[in-house]
Amino acid sequence: MNSYNLLVLLILQISIALFYSNPAVAANSKLFREYIGAEDKGVTFSDVPINSEVEFHFILSFAIDYTNSSSSRSPTNGDFRVYWDEGNLSSSHVSSIKTRHQNVKVAMSLGGDTIGDDNYHVYFSPKTINSWVRNAIHSITEISRKYNLDGIDIDYEHFDADPDTFAECIGQLLLFLKQNGVVSFASIAPYNDDSVQPHYLALWRKYGHLIDYVNFQFYAYKKGTTISQFLKYFHEQSSNYRGGKVLVSFGTDGSGGLSPENGFFEACRRLKHKGKLHGIFVWSADDSKEVGFPYEKQSQTLLASST
């Protein structure tokens, strides 16, 4: 081998070594996501600061398969209806924000914790797998096309069905929506609870290839979570959803977990240094509006920075 070939080989080996010694090159993301519209506080898309250097997802909250009568709330077996603040977050508002900001995409979230002012729990309660999937395909496709949506998020938190039934219903729905171009991305929003995690893990094991992001609710951990505890939780959940893009999160509603005031962004910087910051999401724009979205701005600045 002549000296030229030796030099080329040496340069190639050095390049490979540098690439693998800095996993941040491949793994970090500039994805920022925020739930919006669940609390009827009048928040609009244009209220929220949008950094042009990030990929920005609004997640409309929520579409729910329940009747809207406060006197007799009951599940509707996959027949979803819009429950977000349609007056301020209409289909024309979606079109407008996407036209003004080319880096913005809009998704809707299914389920959620409660419905109505009486905080009635929303249960995943299919009559049968086939009937639920059939109804969900029809209603979700209709809503997605009306609002020109890009993605879907699954955020059921109460269940009247076993994990395998949940996995089949949601998995078959996601398969149809993606194969037919109704949505281009999908996420799930689990949290660390023995009545919740088994359902999402069953879904992940069989249909994880259809799920682009795991919006893990780290703010569901107890208040006062430390940086070291937060990083431990992140690695535990990354192991549970192995191979998935687990996003970190905080709430602006006074919920738990590691707050921005107590080290959330330092934890993000540590993950970013290791190439493990797959994105940040926030619950929620409704709660952030009254204080001017300072942590949304800080999150996006961190994601957009090269260090």
Side-chain angles (χ1 to χ4, degrees):
M1 185 179 291
N2 61 36
S3 58
Y4 174 77
N5 288 336
L6 281 171
L7 179 61
V8 170
L9 180 61
L10 180 61
I11 291 172
L12 179 61
Q13 289 174 334
I14 291 172
S15 298
I16 292 172
L18 287 172
F19 178 84
Y20 284 106
S21 68
N22 184 16
V25 171
N28 284 329
S29 167
K30 294 183 178 182
L31 176 61
F32 178 80
R33 319 185 86 202
E34 182 147 34
Y35 290 86
I36 186 170
E39 298 174 11
D40 287 328
K41 293 184 176 180
V43 66
T44 67
F45 294 126
S46 57
D47 288 332
V48 185
I50 298 171
N51 187 320
S52 62
E53 298 301 314
V54 305
E55 181 181 358
F56 195 111
H57 292 179
F58 282 110
I59 306 176
L60 291 163
S61 310
F62 292 94
I64 309 175
D65 56 334
Y66 259 70
T67 60
N68 58 7
S69 171
S70 58
S71 60
S72 59
R73 299 198 190 283
S74 58
T76 55
N77 193 41
D79 183 12
F80 284 88
R81 307 167 188 200
V82 169
Y83 279 91
W84 62 76
D85 180 3
E86 283 190 280
N88 291 295
L89 302 166
S90 66
S91 57
S92 62
H93 292 125
V94 171
S95 297
S96 176
I97 197 68
K98 288 170 68 173
T99 299
R100 297 202 326 265
H101 298 275
Q102 297 301 307
N103 60 321
V104 166
K105 295 179 180 179
V106 182
M108 68 173 151
S109 187
L110 307 187
D113 181 20
T114 61
I115 184 172
D117 295 334
D118 52 349
N119 292 322
Y120 191 91
H121 280 160
V122 171
Y123 280 84
F124 176 75
S125 185
K127 290 182 178 178
T128 66
I129 292 173
N130 287 341
S131 64
W132 189 95
V133 171
R134 182 175 62 250
N135 292 338
I137 285 173
H138 175 77
S139 58
I140 293 302
T141 299
E142 191 174 73
I143 295 169
S144 295
R145 289 179 174 162
K146 175 182 177 181
Y147 282 83
N148 188 26
L149 301 180
D150 305 287
I152 194 165
D153 176 68
I154 309 300
D155 189 21
Y156 279 104
E157 302 185 6
H158 308 282
F159 303 89
D160 274 339
D162 62 80
D164 289 336
T165 299
F166 177 73
E168 280 306 315
C169 287
I170 300 300
Q172 289 182 32
L173 172 63
L174 296 183
L175 182 63
F176 177 90
L177 295 177
K178 282 199 156 186
Q179 283 187 339
N180 290 275
V182 179
V183 300
S184 59
F185 59 82
S187 59
I188 57 175
Y191 61 97
N192 190 46
D193 184 279
D194 289 342
S195 67
V196 175
Q197 280 267 62
H199 292 78
Y200 285 96
L201 290 173
L203 173 62
W204 181 259
R205 282 191 295 270
K206 188 163 186 181
Y207 292 99
H209 61 287
L210 298 172
I211 298 167
D212 300 280
Y213 314 109
V214 179
N215 281 12
F216 200 84
Q217 298 183 44
F218 288 101
Y219 45 83
Y221 286 104
K222 66 179 182 180
K223 283 188 177 183
T225 296
T226 65
I227 293 175
S228 60
Q229 288 173 326
F230 180 88
L231 294 174
K232 174 176 173 287
Y233 298 150
F234 175 82
H235 291 302
E236 287 174 353
Q237 301 309 329
S238 295
S239 178
N240 282 335
Y241 299 93
R242 189 174 300 280
K245 295 178 180 177
V246 177
L247 276 64
V248 295
S249 59
F250 62 88
T252 56
D253 60 346
S255 52
L258 179 60
S259 67
E261 301 93 334
N262 292 330
F264 175 81
F265 294 112
E266 173 57 29
C268 288
R269 280 187 283 271
R270 294 186 192 183
L271 290 174
K272 189 172 186 179
H273 180 71
K274 295 181 179 180
K276 296 180 179 181
L277 185 59
H278 307 301
I280 297 171
F281 80 90
V282 179
W283 176 271
S284 67
D286 304 58
D287 298 297
S288 299
K289 180 181 178 180
E290 64 180 348
V291 294
F293 305 95
Y295 299 125
E296 282 82 353
K297 296 173 186 175
Q298 192 170 348
S299 296
Q300 293 176 72
T301 298
L302 187 153
L303 290 168
S305 70
S306 57
T307 57

